[in-house]
Structure formats: structure tokens, C-alpha cells
Amino acid sequence: MNALSTTRNVPTKIELPHFSVDTAYGGSQDWCPSRWMKLGGCAAVTACDSAIYFTLFKGRQGLYPYPIEKISRQEYVDFTDVMKPYLRPRLGGIDRLETYIEGFGQFLRDRGETGIEMRPWPGESSLPETKAAVKKQIDSGWLIPCLTLRHSHPSMEDYDWHWYLLNGYEERDGKFLVKAVTFGAWRWLDFAVLWDTGHDQKGGLILYDLPEDGNTHRQ
């Protein structure tokens, strides 16, 4: 076996840093006292986690109104109340990428954050193109909000009609896996299964960017 064929099989694994809320891995809508937030607060929680990540790992200030060094569950729940008017739970849920961008974008602007940009990556995009986009984002230090609408695969039951985050990837044994973060925990998913929902109505990804850092999506 030559050196080239050997290197092709070396696994690649990239995981972004994250934060704890008490002992949980990020936040959870299950902690919210509101029934509507428990049922449909996933977009707001995804935005809350993103804002905290931007503060901790992208040097953005003024987004999280409480001490960032040690995040308590109660302060996190209070933060979801701050985010809720921008991405409020509703009948049918937040089922469009543009709705997330509009709501979270307004939250950022209201706090003086105008550097971070967002663009939608539609669920109709091809698997190879999307894998490349996921790798580029995570390699550049950006976590990725992901919207899954109806999904036909049993392994995706917990992600059906749900917003969550991707903050890592692994290429191993011919598979491309992504690290999905939701409900204060994480899990590795086969991205080919995640992306092929088996339904015509698609979700997609939100791609964050900070052009002033020289990491831009513009061609």
C-alpha cells in the first residue's frame, strides 16, 4: 500500500468549542416555563446559543446580558425571554430560514451588532455542495443553525420539525458525520441521512459570517 492510499483513509474530526449551562451542553427549551416555548422555542434557543457563542468565541459584545464566565440555568431561561419576541413560537413553527434571519438579525441590530451576516442555505441544495459548505463553516469557527422539517428516517425522530446546531464534523469510513447540539446535549448524525428528509418541503442551514475578519462568503 502506498502513502497516498493510506492518507486517504485517515479520519478527519473537527469539533468547535462550546459552553456549559450548569452541567448541560448548551441550552434547552425544556427548561422554559412557557408551554409555547417548550413546544416551539427551538429557534429562539438556537439563537440564544449562537449569541453566547459569538460572545465567547468571536469576541462580540453586548449580546448576552448576564455574566458570561459561568452561565446558570435561570439566567439562560431569562435570556430566552429576551430572545422570544424576536423568534416567538407560533402555530406551524418557524419553518422558513428567512424568518430566523429576520428575527435574529433584528436582535443583533438592536444590540448594536452589525458585523455578523447570515445567509440561507436551502434544503434543496445537493449533498456534495452542502457537505462542502458545512466543512467550510466549521473549519472557519462558525457553528451552523440547522432546520429540519418533516423527516422520514426513524433515527431523525427527535429532529423532526426542529431547529438545532451543528458544531462539528467527522469524515470516517466513507461517511460524513455531523455533531448535532440540542436540548442541552450532543449527538453524532450521518449527514447523508439528515439531509435526505424524504419530503418535498425542506428546511436548510443558516451560514454565519463576519466579513470584517476576512472570512466572507462573497465571491
Side-chain angles (χ1 to χ4, degrees), residues 12 34 40 55 61 65 68 78 86 88 108 124 131 135 160 172 191 197 201 203 216:
T12 300
S34 161
T55 303
Q61 302 301 316
I68 198 72
D78 292 343
Y86 297 92
R88 61 176 181 79
L108 294 174
E124 295 81 8
K131 284 170 57 177
K135 290 175 65 175
D160 194 272
R172 173 169 45 87
F191 191 68
T197 64
Q201 188 179 10
T216 177

PDB file of all heavy atoms in Angstrom, residues 12 34 40 55 61 65 68 78 86 88 108 124 131 135 160 172 191 197 201 203 216:
ATOM      1  N   THR A  12     -10.898  12.390   9.683  1.00  0.00           N
ATOM      2  CA  THR A  12     -10.803  13.811   9.993  1.00  0.00           C
ATOM      3  C   THR A  12     -11.935  14.158  10.942  1.00  0.00           C
ATOM      4  O   THR A  12     -13.097  13.847  10.664  1.00  0.00           O
ATOM      5  CB  THR A  12     -10.923  14.664   8.721  1.00  0.00           C
ATOM      6  OG1 THR A  12      -9.867  14.325   7.832  1.00  0.00           O
ATOM      7  CG2 THR A  12     -10.856  16.149   9.061  1.00  0.00           C
ATOM      8  N   SER A  34     -42.759  28.435  29.935  1.00  0.00           N
ATOM      9  CA  SER A  34     -43.850  28.635  28.984  1.00  0.00           C
ATOM     10  C   SER A  34     -44.113  27.367  28.167  1.00  0.00           C
ATOM     11  O   SER A  34     -43.195  26.766  27.607  1.00  0.00           O
ATOM     12  CB  SER A  34     -43.511  29.791  28.038  1.00  0.00           C
ATOM     13  OG  SER A  34     -44.283  29.746  26.873  1.00  0.00           O
ATOM     14  N   GLY A  40     -42.314  25.060  20.942  1.00  0.00           N
ATOM     15  CA  GLY A  40     -41.820  25.691  19.726  1.00  0.00           C
ATOM     16  C   GLY A  40     -40.733  26.718  19.925  1.00  0.00           C
ATOM     17  O   GLY A  40     -40.576  27.622  19.091  1.00  0.00           O
ATOM     18  N   THR A  55     -20.259  35.690  21.650  1.00  0.00           N
ATOM     19  CA  THR A  55     -19.621  36.432  22.736  1.00  0.00           C
ATOM     20  C   THR A  55     -18.342  35.743  23.199  1.00  0.00           C
ATOM     21  O   THR A  55     -17.286  36.377  23.363  1.00  0.00           O
ATOM     22  CB  THR A  55     -20.598  36.573  23.916  1.00  0.00           C
ATOM     23  OG1 THR A  55     -21.799  37.216  23.472  1.00  0.00           O
ATOM     24  CG2 THR A  55     -19.979  37.386  25.038  1.00  0.00           C
ATOM     25  N   GLN A  61     -19.589  41.725  21.636  1.00  0.00           N
ATOM     26  CA  GLN A  61     -20.003  42.176  22.954  1.00  0.00           C
ATOM     27  C   GLN A  61     -21.428  42.715  22.933  1.00  0.00           C
ATOM     28  O   GLN A  61     -21.950  43.111  21.902  1.00  0.00           O
ATOM     29  CB  GLN A  61     -19.043  43.246  23.457  1.00  0.00           C
ATOM     30  CG  GLN A  61     -17.578  42.779  23.525  1.00  0.00           C
ATOM     31  CD  GLN A  61     -17.379  41.580  24.414  1.00  0.00           C
ATOM     32  OE1 GLN A  61     -17.935  41.520  25.517  1.00  0.00           O
ATOM     33  NE2 GLN A  61     -16.592  40.610  23.955  1.00  0.00           N
ATOM     34  N   PRO A  65     -26.840  39.375  28.276  1.00  0.00           N
ATOM     35  CA  PRO A  65     -26.963  40.401  29.318  1.00  0.00           C
ATOM     36  C   PRO A  65     -26.542  39.971  30.715  1.00  0.00           C
ATOM     37  O   PRO A  65     -26.741  40.733  31.668  1.00  0.00           O
ATOM     38  CB  PRO A  65     -28.466  40.719  29.291  1.00  0.00           C
ATOM     39  CG  PRO A  65     -29.105  39.440  28.865  1.00  0.00           C
ATOM     40  CD  PRO A  65     -28.143  38.791  27.904  1.00  0.00           C
ATOM     41  N   ILE A  68     -20.899  36.053  31.659  1.00  0.00           N
ATOM     42  CA  ILE A  68     -20.653  35.021  30.658  1.00  0.00           C
ATOM     43  C   ILE A  68     -19.707  33.942  31.171  1.00  0.00           C
ATOM     44  O   ILE A  68     -19.632  32.839  30.610  1.00  0.00           O
ATOM     45  CB  ILE A  68     -20.095  35.668  29.365  1.00  0.00           C
ATOM     46  CG1 ILE A  68     -20.236  34.722  28.155  1.00  0.00           C
ATOM     47  CG2 ILE A  68     -18.643  36.105  29.567  1.00  0.00           C
ATOM     48  CD1 ILE A  68     -21.634  34.564  27.666  1.00  0.00           C
ATOM     49  N   ASP A  78     -33.908  33.218  31.513  1.00  0.00           N
ATOM     50  CA  ASP A  78     -34.227  34.650  31.402  1.00  0.00           C
ATOM     51  C   ASP A  78     -33.805  35.186  30.035  1.00  0.00           C
ATOM     52  O   ASP A  78     -34.496  36.038  29.450  1.00  0.00           O
ATOM     53  CB  ASP A  78     -33.532  35.427  32.515  1.00  0.00           C
ATOM     54  CG  ASP A  78     -34.093  35.119  33.897  1.00  0.00           C
ATOM     55  OD1 ASP A  78     -35.207  34.558  33.977  1.00  0.00           O
ATOM     56  OD2 ASP A  78     -33.403  35.428  34.901  1.00  0.00           O
ATOM     57  N   TYR A  86     -38.347  38.085  19.334  1.00  0.00           N
ATOM     58  CA  TYR A  86     -37.747  38.111  18.002  1.00  0.00           C
ATOM     59  C   TYR A  86     -38.023  36.824  17.219  1.00  0.00           C
ATOM     60  O   TYR A  86     -38.115  36.849  15.985  1.00  0.00           O
ATOM     61  CB  TYR A  86     -36.233  38.309  18.116  1.00  0.00           C
ATOM     62  CG  TYR A  86     -35.840  39.619  18.742  1.00  0.00           C
ATOM     63  CD1 TYR A  86     -35.622  39.733  20.112  1.00  0.00           C
ATOM     64  CD2 TYR A  86     -35.692  40.763  17.964  1.00  0.00           C
ATOM     65  CE1 TYR A  86     -35.261  40.937  20.692  1.00  0.00           C
ATOM     66  CE2 TYR A  86     -35.327  41.975  18.530  1.00  0.00           C
ATOM     67  CZ  TYR A  86     -35.116  42.056  19.896  1.00  0.00           C
ATOM     68  OH  TYR A  86     -34.756  43.264  20.459  1.00  0.00           O
ATOM     69  N   ARG A  88     -40.606  34.314  18.192  1.00  0.00           N
ATOM     70  CA  ARG A  88     -41.647  33.788  19.071  1.00  0.00           C
ATOM     71  C   ARG A  88     -42.218  32.487  18.520  1.00  0.00           C
ATOM     72  O   ARG A  88     -42.402  32.327  17.304  1.00  0.00           O
ATOM     73  CB  ARG A  88     -42.762  34.823  19.242  1.00  0.00           C
ATOM     74  CG  ARG A  88     -43.465  35.213  17.969  1.00  0.00           C
ATOM     75  CD  ARG A  88     -44.620  36.169  18.207  1.00  0.00           C
ATOM     76  NE  ARG A  88     -45.281  36.485  16.953  1.00  0.00           N
ATOM     77  CZ  ARG A  88     -46.147  35.707  16.345  1.00  0.00           C
ATOM     78  NH1 ARG A  88     -46.465  34.543  16.883  1.00  0.00           N
ATOM     79  NH2 ARG A  88     -46.698  36.060  15.204  1.00  0.00           N
ATOM     80  N   LEU A 108     -29.772  41.193  16.835  1.00  0.00           N
ATOM     81  CA  LEU A 108     -28.377  41.638  16.754  1.00  0.00           C
ATOM     82  C   LEU A 108     -28.304  43.145  16.527  1.00  0.00           C
ATOM     83  O   LEU A 108     -27.519  43.851  17.186  1.00  0.00           O
ATOM     84  CB  LEU A 108     -27.656  40.889  15.638  1.00  0.00           C
ATOM     85  CG  LEU A 108     -27.465  39.372  15.832  1.00  0.00           C
ATOM     86  CD1 LEU A 108     -26.864  38.751  14.575  1.00  0.00           C
ATOM     87  CD2 LEU A 108     -26.593  39.077  17.039  1.00  0.00           C
ATOM     88  N   GLU A 124     -32.873  22.216  -0.511  1.00  0.00           N
ATOM     89  CA  GLU A 124     -32.866  21.618  -1.839  1.00  0.00           C
ATOM     90  C   GLU A 124     -31.454  21.514  -2.424  1.00  0.00           C
ATOM     91  O   GLU A 124     -31.265  20.895  -3.473  1.00  0.00           O
ATOM     92  CB  GLU A 124     -33.747  22.434  -2.790  1.00  0.00           C
ATOM     93  CG  GLU A 124     -35.232  22.430  -2.445  1.00  0.00           C
ATOM     94  CD  GLU A 124     -35.592  23.407  -1.340  1.00  0.00           C
ATOM     95  OE1 GLU A 124     -34.703  24.201  -0.932  1.00  0.00           O
ATOM     96  OE2 GLU A 124     -36.748  23.382  -0.885  1.00  0.00           O
ATOM     97  N   LYS A 131     -22.191  19.468   2.037  1.00  0.00           N
ATOM     98  CA  LYS A 131     -21.074  18.970   2.837  1.00  0.00           C
ATOM     99  C   LYS A 131     -19.899  19.941   2.774  1.00  0.00           C
ATOM    100  O   LYS A 131     -19.264  20.230   3.803  1.00  0.00           O
ATOM    101  CB  LYS A 131     -20.649  17.590   2.339  1.00  0.00           C
ATOM    102  CG  LYS A 131     -21.572  16.462   2.740  1.00  0.00           C
ATOM    103  CD  LYS A 131     -21.243  15.169   2.021  1.00  0.00           C
ATOM    104  CE  LYS A 131     -19.839  14.704   2.231  1.00  0.00           C
ATOM    105  NZ  LYS A 131     -19.567  13.399   1.569  1.00  0.00           N
ATOM    106  N   LYS A 135     -18.298  21.977   6.006  1.00  0.00           N
ATOM    107  CA  LYS A 135     -16.873  21.906   6.338  1.00  0.00           C
ATOM    108  C   LYS A 135     -16.252  23.299   6.366  1.00  0.00           C
ATOM    109  O   LYS A 135     -15.478  23.624   7.276  1.00  0.00           O
ATOM    110  CB  LYS A 135     -16.151  21.016   5.339  1.00  0.00           C
ATOM    111  CG  LYS A 135     -16.496  19.546   5.447  1.00  0.00           C
ATOM    112  CD  LYS A 135     -15.840  18.719   4.363  1.00  0.00           C
ATOM    113  CE  LYS A 135     -14.341  18.711   4.464  1.00  0.00           C
ATOM    114  NZ  LYS A 135     -13.724  17.801   3.464  1.00  0.00           N
ATOM    115  N   ASP A 160     -37.315  16.075  14.054  1.00  0.00           N
ATOM    116  CA  ASP A 160     -38.420  16.350  13.148  1.00  0.00           C
ATOM    117  C   ASP A 160     -39.057  17.699  13.503  1.00  0.00           C
ATOM    118  O   ASP A 160     -39.437  17.933  14.646  1.00  0.00           O
ATOM    119  CB  ASP A 160     -39.465  15.232  13.268  1.00  0.00           C
ATOM    120  CG  ASP A 160     -40.476  15.239  12.139  1.00  0.00           C
ATOM    121  OD1 ASP A 160     -41.497  15.947  12.265  1.00  0.00           O
ATOM    122  OD2 ASP A 160     -40.241  14.540  11.142  1.00  0.00           O
ATOM    123  N   ARG A 172     -15.203   9.597   8.282  1.00  0.00           N
ATOM    124  CA  ARG A 172     -14.667   8.317   8.738  1.00  0.00           C
ATOM    125  C   ARG A 172     -15.349   7.170   8.006  1.00  0.00           C
ATOM    126  O   ARG A 172     -16.580   7.144   7.897  1.00  0.00           O
ATOM    127  CB  ARG A 172     -14.892   8.180  10.246  1.00  0.00           C
ATOM    128  CG  ARG A 172     -14.536   6.846  10.838  1.00  0.00           C
ATOM    129  CD  ARG A 172     -14.520   6.875  12.357  1.00  0.00           C
ATOM    130  NE  ARG A 172     -15.659   7.547  12.948  1.00  0.00           N
ATOM    131  CZ  ARG A 172     -16.822   6.940  13.217  1.00  0.00           C
ATOM    132  NH1 ARG A 172     -17.001   5.680  12.902  1.00  0.00           N
ATOM    133  NH2 ARG A 172     -17.797   7.621  13.786  1.00  0.00           N
ATOM    134  N   PHE A 191     -24.721  12.656   8.070  1.00  0.00           N
ATOM    135  CA  PHE A 191     -25.244  13.830   7.382  1.00  0.00           C
ATOM    136  C   PHE A 191     -26.034  13.467   6.118  1.00  0.00           C
ATOM    137  O   PHE A 191     -26.977  14.174   5.751  1.00  0.00           O
ATOM    138  CB  PHE A 191     -24.117  14.803   7.032  1.00  0.00           C
ATOM    139  CG  PHE A 191     -24.617  16.135   6.551  1.00  0.00           C
ATOM    140  CD1 PHE A 191     -25.278  16.992   7.415  1.00  0.00           C
ATOM    141  CD2 PHE A 191     -24.457  16.531   5.232  1.00  0.00           C
ATOM    142  CE1 PHE A 191     -25.751  18.218   6.989  1.00  0.00           C
ATOM    143  CE2 PHE A 191     -24.927  17.749   4.789  1.00  0.00           C
ATOM    144  CZ  PHE A 191     -25.583  18.600   5.669  1.00  0.00           C
ATOM    145  N   THR A 197     -34.387  14.130   3.602  1.00  0.00           N
ATOM    146  CA  THR A 197     -35.528  14.018   4.512  1.00  0.00           C
ATOM    147  C   THR A 197     -36.629  13.109   3.982  1.00  0.00           C
ATOM    148  O   THR A 197     -37.462  12.634   4.763  1.00  0.00           O
ATOM    149  CB  THR A 197     -36.144  15.405   4.771  1.00  0.00           C
ATOM    150  OG1 THR A 197     -36.681  15.927   3.544  1.00  0.00           O
ATOM    151  CG2 THR A 197     -35.091  16.363   5.329  1.00  0.00           C
ATOM    152  N   GLN A 201     -41.031  19.376   1.230  1.00  0.00           N
ATOM    153  CA  GLN A 201     -40.815  20.606   1.976  1.00  0.00           C
ATOM    154  C   GLN A 201     -39.511  20.493   2.754  1.00  0.00           C
ATOM    155  O   GLN A 201     -39.364  19.599   3.604  1.00  0.00           O
ATOM    156  CB  GLN A 201     -41.973  20.887   2.933  1.00  0.00           C
ATOM    157  CG  GLN A 201     -41.908  22.258   3.594  1.00  0.00           C
ATOM    158  CD  GLN A 201     -43.082  22.505   4.520  1.00  0.00           C
ATOM    159  OE1 GLN A 201     -43.854  21.592   4.826  1.00  0.00           O
ATOM    160  NE2 GLN A 201     -43.226  23.734   4.989  1.00  0.00           N
ATOM    161  N   GLY A 203     -36.014  22.114   4.907  1.00  0.00           N
ATOM    162  CA  GLY A 203     -35.509  23.136   5.819  1.00  0.00           C
ATOM    163  C   GLY A 203     -34.238  23.728   5.247  1.00  0.00           C
ATOM    164  O   GLY A 203     -34.237  24.328   4.183  1.00  0.00           O
ATOM    165  N   THR A 216     -15.325  35.681   4.299  1.00  0.00           N
ATOM    166  CA  THR A 216     -16.555  36.127   3.656  1.00  0.00           C
ATOM    167  C   THR A 216     -17.034  35.114   2.648  1.00  0.00           C
ATOM    168  O   THR A 216     -16.257  34.408   2.027  1.00  0.00           O
ATOM    169  CB  THR A 216     -16.362  37.491   2.968  1.00  0.00           C
ATOM    170  OG1 THR A 216     -17.569  37.850   2.293  1.00  0.00           O
ATOM    171  CG2 THR A 216     -15.225  37.454   1.975  1.00  0.00           C
TER     172      THR A 216
END
